[in-house]
Amino acid sequence: MNTIRICLLSIVCGMLAATNLTAQAFKGLALTPPMGWNSWNTFRMDINEQLIRETADAMASSGMKDAGYTYVVIDDGWASGRDEEGYLVPDPERFPSGIKALADYVHSLGLKLGIYACAGTQTCGGKPGSRGYEYQDARTFARWEVDFVKYDWCHTGTQSAVDSYRTMSDAIRKAGRPMVFSICEWGKNEPWKWGEGIGHMWRTTGDIADSWDGTLSDGSQANGLGWTQILDMQVGLDKYAGPDHWNDPDMLIVGMGNLNPNEYRAHFTMWCMLAAPLMAGNDLRKMDRTTLGILTHKELLEINQDHMGIQAFKVVDEGDLEVWIKDLKGEDLAVCFLNRGDEDYSLTFDWEVIGLRVVYRIRDVWARKNTGNTRSFFEATVPARDVILLRLKK
Amino acid sequence: MNTIRICLLSIVCGMLAATNLTAQAFKGLALTPPMGWNSWNTFRMDINEQLIRETADAMASSGMKDAGYTYVVIDDGWASGRDEEGYLVPDPERFPSGIKALADYVHSLGLKLGIYACAGTQTCGGKPGSRGYEYQDARTFARWEVDFVKYDWCHTGTQSAVDSYRTMSDAIRKAGRPMVFSICEWGKNEPWKWGEGIGHMWRTTGDIADSWDGTLSDGSQANGLGWTQILDMQVGLDKYAGPDHWNDPDMLIVGMGNLNPNEYRAHFTMWCMLAAPLMAGNDLRKMDRTTLGILTHKELLEINQDHMGIQAFKVVDEGDLEVWIKDLKGEDLAVCFLNRGDEDYSLTFDWEVIGLRVVYRIRDVWARKNTGNTRSFFEATVPARDVILLRLKK
């Protein structure tokens, strides 16, 4: 019997080592906020493999990939059911080649593939939920060589959020493939208080709409939150964010069409300030130069991707005008003046307000020019519904 | 494309029909309280296939099977891990032939096999939990031709009990094999309020110990609840029980050795009155005639298995003496006088107390004799720690 016992022991040790390795594979996957694209904002459930391929092509060829966008995320609508063994089956009409083939294609472009699942009995769109299938689904995603899992919160009854997400998190680790785990629980159960270590990012609010303040241009209510409404809900959450555990104020609306360039610029700038995951939500295949210019602004993305991983906080709130600050590496600071009003805002800003102890050189990020230093007051006009973003350099 | 669409439609219709069938398979599996044996009370984690076979043999040959005991339930300790696909693996040393072979053997004796799993990340004994594996595990049990699943509540963190049990319940239905689902949640989240339709029975308390009142003969505390402590916790729960949805005050301790025959008789009588599932917990291979006589008392089992499925309630509580009544089919009544004290109790019982409107003939169940009718007071002495059980017949 000794021989057998030694063999069993070897297996156990091997399993422990493997467990350790997969845990390591999970950790460190999102040391800076994940960047990519997600199908939901523009396409909802109307998705197919051709769209995903073309989007990946566009991401690779447009300059998005070079700017740092990596994840091509298939949101709800890809699954049609489960096979006899309980494994998820992609919709045979929309994804006839299967998800593995899509992953191979996306990988061949140097990009990564994301997929969607849901903690409840069904997805939000009525597709099969992962409740009770967590380990099997995580294994499926790993076999398909998926790199990112967005995990939604519909049809969850009275499930415990923390335990539901922990179960899928454990399942992903067990599956052994590095996959970013995106908690999409809409902030219902304060995921910022328990999400670290379970997922790499967690939604803090309900869904975003392509809207400034929750209304549309005809005065009707948008199907979701305007981005400034979401912004207001981020106040106080900055202390919960950091490398590998990000607050997620939802995907980007830049270039979707309802807002003006200055409005999208303001939205994108604030998402960068918030150290938010940057998941484009527009149709990458039909992007104009303005949209691309916003999404790929190098100096702005450097602020979002700063290795310190510190989320901006609001230091001034003067009605329409807000000032937000984000600490950056090398003791640099990003300072954003956000004008939420419909009138231009003439500004004279005393650097004492934010307690600067040394003199910084000033870089105007959107103007792409150096504009003096912090010895004197900062004077500028922030256009209506726009931002001025400064990087203060030591 | 029409042809394909018609095919898909046929599959969908087929699935709907199958779903309906499996739902029907779940319903009606426990129209009377399930009867059987469970390994936990006597053997804890120290179980193996030889024990299960010998117990099944004993159940079949001793008269237990003829009395109605059907389920041979393997409690915690049978699983050793999961394979690469996530399927549960029986302990190769304790169950080398596997569970399917055991099921075949138990079925060959005309009996049914039960198994144990747990809603948490681990079982209570540290074996693999079913959290996140529910559908896979239910499918596994169905393939092994298991007939009964006891589902425990250890290592469940802040999981929602109702959703955790509903998930496994759905998984069992989906697996398509008729399996009694035994909710073992210890009454923590008032399962009597949500268990109907999810499981066929639900534990109402923590574990029972082989003890009258929670203490042992040397005065030390038992590792669990004495049966009279559990009895007290059943008051008020009778309204939640009925065919296919039973309160479960835990398994039987009859014949385990710590109590006297009269004490076991009282315990067993009250479990029958409570319409409790009757799962013997003693070693069936070494049963004496007294134990067998208690467990297989035909008239008593008829009261437990009465098709009305009405749980007894307490009508008199005079300190040591309690009177419990159970409505039976044909307007019969079971009336149990329980003496919990250490002295004999001389009784003169006025039938007006329970509001009898007609005259009943009286059958003394344990004495196995007819003893007049309810025209006059009932006079008797209930021995210390014992019962007198009457069946009133119209």
Side-chain angles (χ1 to χ4, degrees), chain A residues 8 84-87 93 131-136 139 143 156-160 162-163 166-167 174, chain B residues 1 5 84-87 131-136 139 143 156-160 162-163 166-167 174:
Chain A
L8 285 171
E84 280 193 350
E85 294 286 322
Y87 288 102
E93 293 194 2
R131 173 166 144 170
Y133 290 96
E134 289 89 344
Y135 282 84
Q136 203 167 0
R139 207 160 51 241
R143 283 186 187 156
T156 48
T158 57
Q159 284 176 233
S160 151
V162 56
D163 283 277
R166 199 191 299 274
T167 300
K174 173 104 181 184
Chain B
M1 290 302 283
R5 285 186 184 281
E84 280 193 351
E85 295 286 322
Y87 288 103
R131 173 165 145 172
Y133 290 97
E134 289 90 344
Y135 284 84
Q136 203 167 0
R139 209 161 48 244
R143 284 187 185 154
T156 48
T158 57
Q159 283 174 235
S160 151
V162 56
D163 283 278
R166 199 190 300 275
T167 300
K174 174 103 179 182

Side-chain angles (χ1 to χ4, degrees), chain A residues 169-312:
Chain A
S169 177
D170 289 346
I172 286 172
R173 279 166 227 251
K174 173 104 181 184
R177 180 177 170 83
M179 295 189 278
V180 170
F181 187 39
S182 167
I183 297 173
C184 181
E185 181 261 7
W186 324 323
K188 293 271 181 197
N189 295 280
E190 300 185 313
W192 43 86
K193 292 187 177 170
W194 48 263
E196 183 178 352
I198 292 179
H200 301 93
M201 52 197 269
W202 49 81
R203 283 277 298 282
T204 55
T205 70
D207 280 8
I208 198 169
D210 182 17
S211 164
W212 178 270
D213 57 5
T215 57
L216 300 178
S217 54
D218 63 2
S220 65
Q221 190 160 0
N223 185 20
L225 295 163
W227 80 262
T228 59
Q229 294 178 294
I230 288 180
L231 179 66
D232 289 336
M233 297 160 81
Q234 307 315 304
V235 174
L237 299 187
D238 52 286
K239 66 182 175 211
Y240 299 106
D244 243 18
H245 56 284
W246 308 101
N247 288 312
D248 175 8
D250 206 2
M251 301 171 294
L252 298 166
I253 54 172
V254 179
M256 288 179 66
N258 284 343
L259 303 188
N260 296 323
N262 54 301
E263 295 175 316
Y264 284 138
R265 182 166 54 230
H267 153 58
F268 187 71
T269 302
M270 285 312 306
W271 259 228
C272 287
M273 289 292 288
L274 292 172
L278 298 179
M279 309 301 278
N282 57 314
D283 187 344
L284 297 192
R285 304 167 308 173
K286 301 174 183 171
M287 226 177 339
D288 61 24
R289 292 183 62 83
T290 306
T291 299
L292 183 65
I294 294 172
L295 290 173
T296 60
H297 192 301
K298 188 167 177 294
E299 290 180 49
L300 203 47
L301 291 174
E302 281 172 6
I303 288 170
N304 174 262
Q305 295 287 305
D306 186 271
H307 286 345
M308 299 274 284
I310 296 173
Q311 178 172 333

Side-chain angles (χ1 to χ4, degrees), chain A residues 77-92:
Chain A
W78 65 267
S80 66
R82 293 184 181 277
D83 69 14
E84 280 193 350
E85 294 286 322
Y87 288 102
L88 283 165
V89 177
D91 188 305

Side-chain angles (χ1 to χ4, degrees), chain B residues 297-357:
Chain B
H297 191 300
K298 187 165 176 293
E299 290 181 49
L300 202 48
L301 291 174
E302 281 172 5
I303 289 170
N304 173 263
Q305 294 288 304
D306 186 90
H307 285 345
M308 300 274 283
I310 296 173
Q311 177 172 332
F313 62 100
K314 186 160 62 174
V315 288
V316 172
D317 189 334
E318 295 275 3
D320 284 344
L321 191 90
E322 297 178 2
V323 184
W324 294 70
I325 291 187
K326 184 182 198 295
D327 284 290
L328 303 173
K329 66 184 174 185
E331 296 181 52
D332 280 9
L333 279 178
V335 181
C336 181
F337 300 93
L338 165 65
N339 181 0
R340 296 170 64 151
D342 295 326
E343 310 283 332
D344 293 355
Y345 196 103
S346 288
L347 182 75
T348 301
F349 189 71
D350 181 353
W351 293 108
E352 290 290 324
V353 170
I354 59 172
L356 293 187
R357 296 188 306 178

